[in-house]
Amino acid sequence: MNNPILSAWTSAFEIAPFDKISDTDFAPALDAAMQAHNAEIGAIASNPEAPTFANTVEALEAAGEMMDKVLSVFFTVAGADSNPLREELQREFSPKLAAHFSGISSNKALFQRVADLWARKDELGLTDEQARVLMLSHRGFVRAGAALEGNEDTRMQEIKARLASLGTSFTQNLLADERDWFMELSEDDLQGLPGFVVNSARAAGEEKGAKGPVVTLSRSLIVPFLQFSPRRDLRQKAYRAWTARGANGGETDNREIAAQILQLRQERAKLLGYESFADFKLETEMARTPDRVRDLLMQVWEPAKTRANADAEILTQMMRNDGVNGPLEAWDWRYYAEKRRKAEHDLDEAALKPYLQLDRMIEASFACANRLFGLEFKQLDIPLYHPDCRAWEVTRNGQHIAVFIGDYFARGSKRSGAWCSAMRGQAKFPKVQAPVVINVCNFAKGDPALLSYDDARTLFHEFGHALHQMLSNVTYESISGTSVARDFVELPSQLYEHWLEVPEVLAEFATHAETGAPMPQEMLKKVLKAANFDQGFQTVEYVASALVDLAFHEGAAPDEPMARQAEVLADLGMPAAIGMRHATPHFAHVFAGDGYSAGYYSYMWSEVMDADAFAAFEEAGGAFDSERAKALEENILSTGGSREAEELYLAFRGRLPGVEALLKGRGLIAA
């Protein structure tokens, strides 16, 4: 069989040969890879020799190379450039993969070898990194249910398979709702919209095959529409469609799926001896317990709600001045907040946006990485999975470090949001391999493509994740890059956002799309002064989502998640004109997989550290202080999961921060 996925990748830097791969290659490639992986695992488990670190743990690290190739290619295109066949394959693959990996994690002979090594760990003469990999391997087996027997073992495998299928269905339902809905706009409906929104709506209409401009459920289009459209009726229609994703009834409704997922997670935790899924999930995170998570979130919730309620009164009065009676609604907030920002800060998003060109912001993110870490970027001309994608070789002092791929534009075939993934992680065993890292975003297309300030922050955020992958310098891929505690993984990404706000960075790279002129100093000052504008709203919508996630997983799984969501929001006194950032039916962070389940708080936990970490630069020689940059790379960016997250942060900063830095950074208490 001449399958290009399974053949040797002879392209530059051994990048997947996307130009040779067809959708019909995936199923036979996966079957062959699973068969090969099973043979590798069987050989390790049945090895007649006594278990050693080399013949068991390192053998596991070396196994599955073919699987890695198949899955890296498939899940890259399934998330960023889906089509009906790929969606069908994903539904087919999901239970097969769950059963495959569950079979490995429940392999008694294999677990016994790892357990034997764990019992003798102090006698093995392991390096610190090897000891860490052994601990994580043993813990992973135990938490996966390897110690379960009989009916409990069988049930655990059934639960994993069902959760995998449900997560895939949740994701595909959400993608379908986002892809299928759009609102056509007449020329009159465009009145009051700035040029960049009109251009984005026309481009979206062309992609949808509509007769004219449209609003889609892509965040990069619907948010500016809600900010600028004077048509309250259209804002209401768009907002309701946006917040109804996954809750429209019919085949794509996610509410029952969410309920089933929560019930199965609770059952899984009980099988493993935990009171709740949150207790199980948080055991390995920095936070450790649900109580510590709730404590952090509530410390932020009260000042954020106080600020949001005060802001709501101002926005309501602005609405009254426009002759609109009745309460301030969720589809009004962004519109009047934008008007207020323009009035109070003399900052107009429409005037600002031409200075935030996508290409120049990419240059800015690269330039900061060059000044901080000596990285250089050279564009590559190689086949990728979509014409929108671009690639760069990353080097330092002439040495190859990584390949970085950017896929920046929204399209109907791409799931919403922004993310970073590694098609290949950094490792030195069983062979030296440099990472291949992808940033995927959903920015509106244009000529040139212009970003909002929030978009630019997203670009820097995802590139912070990419740096964590690219600068990794460990032996074993299982602990490389972003393979860290979930509430630590957002630290590098959120920290990197701070460099966008460094005045000299904006002064150099924020240049006008038409004139090429740098952003005027007066506008630059206004941008930085307004950086914390509307933080009451933004913090409330985020923390509400995090608290609902925690409530779902902290006790008994709710039979009616939507009723539980409403109960949590009522108890919090959720401001009426603010919605959750991610309501349950489209809360992909939590329900598309286990990644952020009981863990959506992680962004805020990391923000406590990122505010403090950037302060370390400011206290030293400034944003580009070389000693602090070296310490950041040596203690956090290069170390992956080779040590506990708390230990890594202490090595960088010397202490753990309190929540005050976060509250001051968001402007929720006085600096």
Side-chain angles (χ1 to χ4, degrees), residues 18-303:
F18 288 106
D19 56 333
K20 296 181 174 64
I21 296 170
S22 69
D23 288 346
T24 56
D25 292 321
F26 287 119
L30 181 63
D31 287 342
M34 288 174 64
Q35 186 175 350
H37 197 204
N38 281 330
E40 292 168 329
I41 296 299
I44 300 168
S46 62
N47 189 339
E49 297 177 7
T52 65
F53 186 83
N55 71 19
T56 302
V57 177
E58 285 192 331
L60 282 170
E61 288 282 330
E65 181 181 4
M66 192 183 297
M67 281 288 285
D68 290 342
K69 291 173 71 172
V70 176
L71 298 183
S72 69
V73 176
F74 178 72
F75 283 112
T76 293
V77 299
D81 190 27
S82 193
N83 60 36
L85 179 54
R86 289 171 185 173
E87 291 178 14
E88 181 182 335
L89 287 171
Q90 200 167 1
R91 289 190 293 270
E92 176 189 325
F93 290 176
S94 183
K96 288 175 67 173
L97 287 168
H100 174 76
F101 288 110
S102 182
I104 295 172
S105 63
S106 62
N107 185 311
K108 304 304 181 188
L110 186 60
F111 173 55
Q112 190 54 50
R113 294 181 71 85
V114 174
D116 176 89
L117 291 171
W118 178 245
R120 298 186 290 111
K121 58 183 181 296
D122 296 334
E123 308 165 11
L124 301 177
L126 303 178
T127 66
D128 289 345
E129 188 176 331
Q130 289 173 331
R132 174 75 173 170
V133 171
L134 173 59
M135 185 279 289
L136 292 172
S137 180
H138 180 261
R139 187 175 76 181
F141 273 102
V142 172
R143 287 171 61 82
L148 298 177
E149 300 286 350
N151 292 337
E152 290 185 339
D153 184 19
T154 301
R155 181 57 183 156
M156 178 62 79
Q157 294 191 56
E158 291 172 351
I159 288 172
K160 289 180 187 176
R162 182 63 178 149
L163 282 171
S165 293
L166 289 170
T168 297
S169 296
F170 189 98
T171 302
Q172 293 189 349
N173 289 345
L174 181 55
L175 178 61
D177 278 5
E178 291 171 345
R179 181 179 56 217
D180 294 345
W181 187 92
F182 58 89
M183 180 174 68
E184 295 186 350
L185 301 175
S186 69
E187 292 301 314
D188 288 343
D189 296 337
L190 301 176
Q191 297 300 313
L193 296 177
F196 74 87
V197 180
V198 173
N199 292 340
S200 295
R202 294 194 192 282
E206 289 180 15
E207 196 219 351
K208 295 295 183 186
K211 296 178 181 178
V214 303
V215 173
T216 68
L217 298 181
S218 168
R219 189 178 187 91
S220 61
L221 178 51
I222 198 167
V223 168
F225 181 80
L226 293 170
Q227 282 179 295
F228 292 105
S229 176
R231 289 282 302 277
R232 194 178 191 222
D233 59 330
L234 297 181
R235 295 201 310 268
Q236 179 180 357
K237 182 178 179 182
Y239 181 84
R240 284 185 164 164
W242 193 32
T243 54
R245 291 169 294 156
N248 288 304
E251 294 182 355
T252 63
D253 198 293
N254 275 333
R255 287 171 288 191
E256 178 56 31
I257 290 176
Q260 291 183 49
I261 288 173
L262 293 174
Q263 296 286 349
L264 289 168
R265 284 177 180 162
Q266 181 188 24
E267 185 180 356
R268 177 181 171 193
K270 292 286 188 182
L271 284 172
L272 293 170
Y274 295 87
E275 281 297 310
S276 71
F277 185 80
D279 288 311
F280 162 72
K281 187 69 183 296
L282 294 170
E283 181 184 52
T284 59
E285 309 298 340
M286 285 186 75
R288 301 295 182 197
T289 68
D291 286 343
R292 289 187 70 189
V293 172
R294 183 174 297 283
D295 180 58
L296 168 69
L297 294 174
M298 292 309 297
Q299 284 187 67
V300 178
W301 173 258
E302 290 302 333

Side-chain angles (χ1 to χ4, degrees), residues 432-443:
V432 175
Q433 61 185 39
V436 177
V437 186
I438 304 178
N439 276 179
V440 183
C441 301
N442 270 282
F443 303 142

